[in-house]
Amino acid sequence: MPPSDTDEAGPGGVGDRPPSEIPGAPKAPAPGDGGSGSAPNVVTEKGVATQKGEVPGGEQAAELPRGTAPGIRFEKVVKRFGSNVVLRELDFTVAPGERVTLIGPSGSGKTTILRLLMTLEKLDGGLIWIGDETLWHRERGGKRVPADQKHLHEMRKQVGMVFQQFNLFPNMNVLHNLTEGPVRVLGLSKDEAVERARGLLDMVGLTDKENAHPTQLSGGQQQRVAIARALAMQPKVLLLDEVTSALDPELVVGVQDLLRDIARQSDLTLLCVTHEMGFAKDISNRVLMFDQGQIVEEGPPDQIFGEPSEQRTRDFLQAVLAS
Amino acid sequence: MSDVLDSYPQWLDGAWVTVRLTLLGGALALVLALLFGMAGTSRHAWVRVLNRVYVEFFRGNATLVLLYWFFYALPLLGLRFTTLSAAVLALGLNVGAYGAEVVRGSINAVPKAQYEATVALNFTPFQRMRRVLLPQAFALMLPPFGNLLIELMKGTAIVSLVGLVDLTRVSKNIQGSTGQTVAAFSVVLVLYFIIAQVLQLFVRYAERRVDRMLGRRLPSEPSLETVAAGAPGTGVTG
């Protein structure tokens, strides 16, 4: 298993950085650009290389990204679906290595935020920063122009996502699901990719299932494979979209425990949408309460779940707990 | 009847022409269907236009007219084909147009979540298609492809109108030479049916292979006998 001395946040103690008090408060262009944030191939003080392709021989410690997670910043982000404005000039910041949970009623725009970050939805207005680069725009001749496919491909290298419905590829077995991305996209050799995949399967407790077919696995097992598949690409930002909502109740805890371990042992920047308040409390440094595309309230989990200051939050939590 | 059966070398030659036309025309149709079907799912409008033009033109024309055109009209413009290649072109282009719609529909029917997973893993558009969408769409394509292949096989009968001696032509010839109308046309009826059944057998076999790849069946090798026996689970199960 990965080292256990990693509970503190990444280099420079960025995890302790107070979240911005007011969303969109004037700040440096991007979080994390003052330190180790964006330089490629950064080696942390613990000497663990975290960039692509460098899997130190068989040590599983290297599987979880450490030391280079970028921050995220939304700047006046607008997203519409037809005439329905889901996000209306939304501002918020996530520090490098921070773990943020988004809560709120259905249709409040939480999942849309993750989908924008994964480039599954197009941005209608504003800017999204990952590290010190904009996701949906690139610089050309000193101007900011809409990103092309090449830019999106570059930016997506940093981001991974786990879906509510797992979305494993049914035309591949478990091992193949895990190696396809590293081999085809990251250019790893077959052997390296298989080694990495086996390490991850070991971590998620499915060593004996590598030749199984996704349809032969339970929902919980499928979601573990999906988590391993996302981690095999060594992202620095991990997006979790209601990852336990589709699971049978007795399988939820196992997946949550796994994610909690991953969150603590890596310093991934984590954005998590969930309706499981206990899980949100466990996994995150900060909770954002959304309603109608706006942040109603934000703060550490203890405060949001313990003594929320907004009536809207209290109503929502009551409704969720009652269900 | 015996006169009709005694002419079996002619029947065999005719059947061979029919089978060859089916396989060559089918191969051409498959390539065109995949090419233009994928074009139909492109995010570039001009690529999708290519798909529309091809499909509408060749689907909207009688195969026989296409055949006449390749066989009689093009040579006058200086392009000369052998009878066989003119027939293969006409059949392949026509059936390929139907096939392109099958391919396009099948790719679009692969769940959007699969596409999203490929984006999340940062696949290039080509890799998305090649590694995930096309293999899964293939399972949906096979049954309609089976239909089209048999349609194409039956459609080969029109080549007898430009002088190729296929099964249909052979039956006419033998009917003429022996005078045994019922026997001659009964034999050709059975022969077409047998060829269709063999084709169907191969399509079923392919379906089972694809089902296995998608984890819809137990991982036991399907044999041609079990497929022929119509073993349960031949189609899509679960």
Side-chain angles (χ1 to χ4, degrees):
Chain A
M1 289 299 284
S4 57
D5 61 338
T6 52
D7 218 351
E8 85 248 21
V14 283
D16 297 327
R17 178 186 292 190
S20 52
E21 301 296 326
I22 310 146
K27 272 194 134 191
D33 58 354
S36 59
S38 52
N41 282 314
V42 167
V43 176
T44 69
E45 55 269 58
K46 293 189 180 77
V48 182
T50 57
Q51 269 285 337
K52 58 178 175 181
E54 312 197 39
V55 195
E59 286 299 316
Q60 288 171 26
E63 282 158 6
L64 295 173
R66 304 195 11 79
T68 55
I72 292 168
R73 193 147 84 98
F74 276 50
E75 217 176 288
K76 297 203 182 314
V77 165
V78 177
K79 177 63 195 172
R80 297 180 215 97
F81 292 106
S83 60
N84 178 20
V85 184
V86 180
L87 301 177
R88 201 185 301 264
E89 305 214 332
L90 175 69
D91 293 295
F92 76 93
T93 306
V94 176
E98 197 182 11
R99 306 192 295 268
V100 173
T101 299
L102 316 179
I103 62 168
S106 299
S108 57
K110 306 164 308 221
T111 291
T112 303
I113 289 168
L114 300 195
R115 291 175 60 84
L116 280 168
L117 278 165
M118 196 66 258
T119 69
L120 298 173
E121 302 289 352
K122 281 209 169 75
L123 186 66
D124 290 324
L127 293 173
I128 296 176
W129 294 86
I130 297 179
D132 54 6
E133 282 188 277
T134 47
L135 174 60
W136 285 99
H137 301 81
R138 65 196 169 99
E139 295 274 335
R140 198 174 59 188
K143 278 203 230 157
R144 203 171 273 140
V145 296
D148 53 4
Q149 284 299 318
K150 196 169 151 237
H151 179 81
L152 291 177
H153 187 78
E154 272 314 299
M155 294 300 288
R156 273 196 293 257
K157 285 180 181 167
Q158 306 183 65
V159 187
M161 185 162 181
V162 183
F163 298 89
Q164 184 176 3
Q165 299 290 347
F166 334 130
N167 301 6
L168 294 178
F169 301 131
N171 55 318
M172 305 174 189
N173 68 16
V174 166
L175 191 68
H176 198 171
N177 261 281
L178 264 64
T179 55
E180 192 70 1
V183 169
R184 308 277 171 201
V185 179
L186 303 181
L188 259 64
S189 75
K190 191 93 202 292
D191 290 345
E192 287 173 307
V194 167
E195 191 182 331
R196 183 185 289 186
R198 290 202 170 123
L200 286 163
L201 283 176
D202 184 40
M203 185 184 75
V204 302
L206 291 174
T207 314
D208 54 332
K209 298 288 185 193
E210 69 172 52
N211 291 316
H213 203 277
T215 51
Q216 294 169 325
L217 303 181
S218 72
Q221 290 171 329
Q222 288 191 49
Q223 193 59 296
R224 287 161 185 270
V225 173
I227 291 165
R229 183 176 70 172
L231 291 174
M233 299 298 283
Q234 302 197 326
K236 303 190 195 90
V237 176
L238 188 62
L239 311 173
L240 305 176
D241 186 13
E242 300 195 27
V243 291
T244 57
S245 307
L247 300 181
D248 290 341
E250 76 267 24
L251 301 175
V252 168
V253 175
V255 170
Q256 288 181 348
D257 286 347
L258 171 65
L259 286 168
R260 192 181 303 121
D261 288 346
I262 290 169
R264 289 189 181 149
Q265 286 157 5
S266 70
D267 72 347
L268 286 160
T269 301
L270 199 71
L271 263 77
C272 173
V273 169
T274 185
H275 291 298
E276 310 273 344
M277 296 307 146
F279 177 55
K281 211 170 188 169
D282 272 358
I283 203 170
S284 47
N285 317 114
R286 185 154 62 106
V287 176
L288 304 182
M289 164 75 195
F290 278 83
D291 193 25
Q292 297 178 349
Q294 295 289 335
I295 295 171
V296 180
E297 184 172 1
E298 64 172 305
D302 289 342
Q303 180 200 320
I304 297 285
F305 297 120
E307 40 200 297
S309 56
E310 296 290 326
Q311 186 60 40
R312 186 72 194 85
T313 313
R314 281 195 288 271
D315 292 346
F316 173 73
L317 290 174
Q318 214 156 35
V320 170
L321 292 176
S323 64
Chain B
M1 187 72 184
S2 63
D3 289 351
V4 170
L5 292 179
D6 283 346
S7 329
Y8 68 89
Q10 287 185 58
W11 286 118
L12 281 183
D13 287 346
W16 177 230
V17 170
T18 296
V19 167
R20 233 170 357 144
L21 280 171
T22 306
L23 295 182
L24 292 174
L28 177 64
L30 180 66
V31 171
L32 291 171
L34 287 172
L35 221 61
F36 284 97
M38 282 193 276
T41 64
S42 170
R43 56 196 161 83
H44 302 293
W46 66 271
V47 182
R48 290 199 304 275
V49 166
L50 286 181
N51 159 280
R52 288 332 298 166
V53 169
Y54 168 72
V55 169
E56 297 307 341
F57 185 79
F58 286 101
R59 191 174 59 175
N61 264 304
T63 323
L64 186 56
V65 175
L66 287 176
L67 183 59
Y68 282 164
W69 202 72
F70 281 114
F71 192 65
Y72 296 119
L74 273 186
L76 298 180
L77 304 174
L79 256 179
R80 197 165 292 278
F81 295 100
T82 64
T83 326
L84 189 81
S85 27
V88 166
L89 269 178
L91 290 163
L93 282 164
N94 182 243
V95 174
Y98 288 99
E101 287 298 83
V102 170
V103 170
R104 186 173 69 90
S106 303
I107 291 172
N108 286 337
V110 174
K112 192 151 181 283
Q114 289 290 312
Y115 169 82
E116 291 180 349
T118 62
V119 175
L121 291 176
N122 210 6
F123 285 19
T124 62
F126 175 78
Q127 289 166 337
R128 290 171 201 164
M129 188 60 82
R130 169 72 186 79
R131 303 288 158 194
V132 176
L133 301 182
L134 215 45
Q136 292 181 41
F138 207 60
L140 304 169
M141 292 175 204
L142 278 175
F145 272 179
N147 276 340
L148 288 178
L149 188 62
I150 290 172
E151 281 293 326
L152 186 145
M153 191 274 292
K154 295 184 298 184
T156 57
I158 60 167
V159 300
S160 58
L161 297 172
V162 293
L164 267 182
V165 188
D166 72 326
L167 262 184
T168 304
R169 188 78 218 173
V170 168
S171 68
K172 277 288 270 181
N173 290 349
I174 290 178
Q175 181 243 349
S177 61
T178 63
Q180 298 185 340
T181 304
V182 174
F185 289 143
S186 298
V187 169
V188 76
L189 209 68
V190 170
L191 285 178
Y192 271 114
F193 178 74
I194 289 172
I195 295 175
Q197 287 311 297
V198 172
L199 292 175
Q200 178 62 11
L201 196 64
F202 283 113
V203 173
R204 285 274 182 94
Y205 178 72
E207 279 178 34
R208 304 241 304 190
R209 291 297 296 247
V210 170
D211 276 354
R212 205 163 65 92
M213 173 192 81
L214 293 178
R216 290 166 177 167
R217 318 182 31 80
L218 292 175
S220 66
E221 196 73 28
S223 71
L224 274 176
E225 298 106 274
T226 56
V227 180
T234 305
V236 175
T237 56

Short mmCIF file of all heavy atoms in Angstrom, two decimals, chain B residues 20 27 36 38 60 66-67 76 105 107-108 120 134-135 141 150 167 188 201 203 215 218 224 229 234 238:
data_model
loop_
_atom_site.label_atom_id
_atom_site.label_comp_id
_atom_site.label_asym_id
_atom_site.label_seq_id
_atom_site.Cartn_x
_atom_site.Cartn_y
_atom_site.Cartn_z
N ARG B 20 -19.46 -15.58 -56.37
CA ARG B 20 -18.38 -14.61 -56.52
C ARG B 20 -18.90 -13.18 -56.51
O ARG B 20 -18.35 -12.30 -55.87
CB ARG B 20 -17.62 -14.88 -57.83
CG ARG B 20 -16.15 -15.01 -57.57
CD ARG B 20 -15.33 -15.50 -58.72
NE ARG B 20 -16.05 -15.85 -59.92
CZ ARG B 20 -15.56 -15.62 -61.15
NH1 ARG B 20 -14.40 -15.04 -61.30
NH2 ARG B 20 -16.24 -16.01 -62.21
N ALA B 27 -18.02 -7.42 -50.19
CA ALA B 27 -16.80 -6.81 -49.66
C ALA B 27 -16.76 -5.33 -49.99
O ALA B 27 -16.47 -4.48 -49.13
CB ALA B 27 -15.58 -7.52 -50.24
N PHE B 36 -18.51 5.44 -45.39
CA PHE B 36 -19.51 6.50 -45.46
C PHE B 36 -20.41 6.52 -44.21
O PHE B 36 -20.94 7.57 -43.85
CB PHE B 36 -20.34 6.36 -46.74
CG PHE B 36 -19.60 6.82 -47.96
CD1 PHE B 36 -18.94 5.92 -48.76
CD2 PHE B 36 -19.54 8.17 -48.28
CE1 PHE B 36 -18.23 6.34 -49.88
CE2 PHE B 36 -18.84 8.60 -49.39
CZ PHE B 36 -18.18 7.67 -50.20
N MET B 38 -19.30 5.96 -41.11
CA MET B 38 -18.54 6.74 -40.13
C MET B 38 -18.55 8.22 -40.50
O MET B 38 -18.64 9.08 -39.64
CB MET B 38 -17.10 6.22 -40.04
CG MET B 38 -16.99 4.96 -39.22
SD MET B 38 -15.29 4.56 -38.81
CE MET B 38 -14.77 3.71 -40.27
N GLY B 60 -31.03 5.76 -54.03
CA GLY B 60 -32.18 6.24 -54.79
C GLY B 60 -32.20 5.79 -56.24
O GLY B 60 -32.99 6.28 -57.03
N LEU B 66 -28.04 1.25 -62.49
CA LEU B 66 -26.61 1.45 -62.23
C LEU B 66 -25.79 0.49 -63.10
O LEU B 66 -24.78 0.87 -63.70
CB LEU B 66 -26.29 1.19 -60.76
CG LEU B 66 -26.73 2.23 -59.74
CD1 LEU B 66 -26.41 1.75 -58.33
CD2 LEU B 66 -26.05 3.56 -60.01
N LEU B 67 -26.25 -0.73 -63.16
CA LEU B 67 -25.54 -1.75 -63.93
C LEU B 67 -25.49 -1.37 -65.41
O LEU B 67 -24.42 -1.41 -66.04
CB LEU B 67 -26.23 -3.10 -63.75
CG LEU B 67 -25.59 -4.30 -64.43
CD1 LEU B 67 -24.16 -4.49 -63.94
CD2 LEU B 67 -26.40 -5.55 -64.17
N LEU B 76 -18.89 4.35 -73.35
CA LEU B 76 -19.00 5.41 -74.36
C LEU B 76 -18.24 6.65 -73.91
O LEU B 76 -17.82 7.46 -74.73
CB LEU B 76 -20.47 5.77 -74.58
CG LEU B 76 -21.34 4.62 -75.11
CD1 LEU B 76 -22.78 5.08 -75.29
CD2 LEU B 76 -20.77 4.11 -76.44
N GLY B 105 -26.38 4.46 -38.06
CA GLY B 105 -27.36 4.26 -37.00
C GLY B 105 -26.78 3.47 -35.83
O GLY B 105 -27.04 3.78 -34.66
N ILE B 107 -23.59 3.21 -34.88
CA ILE B 107 -22.62 4.00 -34.10
C ILE B 107 -23.37 4.98 -33.21
O ILE B 107 -23.04 5.16 -32.04
CB ILE B 107 -21.65 4.74 -35.04
CG1 ILE B 107 -20.73 3.73 -35.73
CG2 ILE B 107 -20.83 5.77 -34.27
CD1 ILE B 107 -19.86 4.32 -36.80
N ASN B 108 -24.41 5.60 -33.76
CA ASN B 108 -25.18 6.55 -32.95
C ASN B 108 -25.92 5.86 -31.81
O ASN B 108 -26.30 6.51 -30.84
CB ASN B 108 -26.18 7.31 -33.82
CG ASN B 108 -25.48 8.34 -34.69
OD1 ASN B 108 -24.37 8.78 -34.37
ND2 ASN B 108 -26.11 8.72 -35.79
N ALA B 120 -13.03 11.10 -21.35
CA ALA B 120 -12.41 11.20 -20.03
C ALA B 120 -11.04 10.52 -20.01
O ALA B 120 -10.17 10.91 -19.24
CB ALA B 120 -13.32 10.58 -18.97
N LEU B 134 -16.81 1.61 -32.59
CA LEU B 134 -17.02 0.68 -33.70
C LEU B 134 -17.18 -0.77 -33.21
O LEU B 134 -18.11 -1.46 -33.65
CB LEU B 134 -15.87 0.81 -34.70
CG LEU B 134 -16.20 0.61 -36.17
CD1 LEU B 134 -17.46 1.35 -36.57
CD2 LEU B 134 -15.04 1.06 -37.03
N PRO B 135 -16.31 -1.25 -32.30
CA PRO B 135 -16.51 -2.64 -31.84
C PRO B 135 -17.90 -2.86 -31.24
O PRO B 135 -18.50 -3.92 -31.43
CB PRO B 135 -15.42 -2.82 -30.78
CG PRO B 135 -14.36 -1.85 -31.16
CD PRO B 135 -15.08 -0.67 -31.75
N MET B 141 -24.76 -3.91 -35.92
CA MET B 141 -24.77 -3.91 -37.39
C MET B 141 -25.05 -5.30 -37.96
O MET B 141 -25.61 -5.42 -39.04
CB MET B 141 -23.39 -3.48 -37.92
CG MET B 141 -23.02 -2.06 -37.67
SD MET B 141 -21.32 -1.84 -38.26
CE MET B 141 -20.82 -0.45 -37.28
N ILE B 150 -27.94 -11.06 -47.95
CA ILE B 150 -28.85 -11.96 -48.68
C ILE B 150 -29.60 -11.19 -49.77
O ILE B 150 -29.78 -11.69 -50.88
CB ILE B 150 -29.80 -12.65 -47.69
CG1 ILE B 150 -28.99 -13.66 -46.86
CG2 ILE B 150 -30.93 -13.36 -48.42
CD1 ILE B 150 -29.74 -14.27 -45.72
N LEU B 167 -26.56 -18.06 -61.92
CA LEU B 167 -27.55 -19.11 -61.67
C LEU B 167 -28.84 -18.88 -62.45
O LEU B 167 -29.39 -19.79 -63.07
CB LEU B 167 -27.88 -19.14 -60.18
CG LEU B 167 -27.17 -20.19 -59.33
CD1 LEU B 167 -27.69 -20.13 -57.91
CD2 LEU B 167 -27.38 -21.58 -59.91
N VAL B 188 -33.21 -24.13 -59.43
CA VAL B 188 -32.59 -22.82 -59.16
C VAL B 188 -33.15 -22.22 -57.87
O VAL B 188 -32.45 -21.58 -57.09
CB VAL B 188 -32.75 -21.87 -60.38
CG1 VAL B 188 -34.15 -21.31 -60.47
CG2 VAL B 188 -31.75 -20.73 -60.27
N LEU B 201 -25.66 -18.57 -42.03
CA LEU B 201 -24.89 -19.32 -41.03
C LEU B 201 -23.65 -18.52 -40.61
O LEU B 201 -23.33 -18.41 -39.43
CB LEU B 201 -24.49 -20.66 -41.65
CG LEU B 201 -24.02 -21.75 -40.70
CD1 LEU B 201 -25.16 -22.15 -39.78
CD2 LEU B 201 -23.56 -22.96 -41.51
N VAL B 203 -23.21 -15.29 -40.84
CA VAL B 203 -23.60 -14.08 -40.11
C VAL B 203 -23.92 -14.42 -38.65
O VAL B 203 -23.49 -13.75 -37.72
CB VAL B 203 -24.79 -13.39 -40.79
CG1 VAL B 203 -25.28 -12.23 -39.94
CG2 VAL B 203 -24.39 -12.89 -42.17
N GLY B 215 -19.32 -9.89 -23.77
CA GLY B 215 -19.65 -10.51 -22.48
C GLY B 215 -21.11 -10.90 -22.35
O GLY B 215 -21.62 -11.02 -21.25
N LEU B 218 -21.50 -16.99 -22.27
CA LEU B 218 -20.43 -17.67 -21.56
C LEU B 218 -19.27 -17.85 -22.52
O LEU B 218 -19.47 -18.06 -23.72
CB LEU B 218 -20.92 -19.04 -21.07
CG LEU B 218 -21.97 -18.95 -19.97
CD1 LEU B 218 -22.49 -20.33 -19.64
CD2 LEU B 218 -21.40 -18.29 -18.73
N LEU B 224 -19.68 -24.01 -35.53
CA LEU B 224 -20.64 -23.83 -36.61
C LEU B 224 -21.83 -24.77 -36.44
O LEU B 224 -22.95 -24.44 -36.78
CB LEU B 224 -19.96 -24.07 -37.96
CG LEU B 224 -19.28 -22.83 -38.53
CD1 LEU B 224 -18.57 -23.18 -39.81
CD2 LEU B 224 -20.28 -21.70 -38.78
N ALA B 229 -27.57 -25.47 -35.54
CA ALA B 229 -28.67 -26.10 -34.84
C ALA B 229 -29.59 -25.08 -34.18
O ALA B 229 -30.57 -25.44 -33.55
CB ALA B 229 -28.13 -27.07 -33.78
N THR B 234 -28.42 -17.39 -29.49
CA THR B 234 -27.73 -16.98 -30.69
C THR B 234 -27.79 -15.47 -30.87
O THR B 234 -26.86 -14.84 -31.32
CB THR B 234 -28.35 -17.67 -31.91
OG1 THR B 234 -28.33 -19.06 -31.67
CG2 THR B 234 -27.58 -17.35 -33.16
N GLY B 238 -29.50 -10.50 -22.75
CA GLY B 238 -29.09 -9.68 -21.59
C GLY B 238 -28.11 -8.66 -21.99
O GLY B 238 -27.11 -8.44 -21.46
#
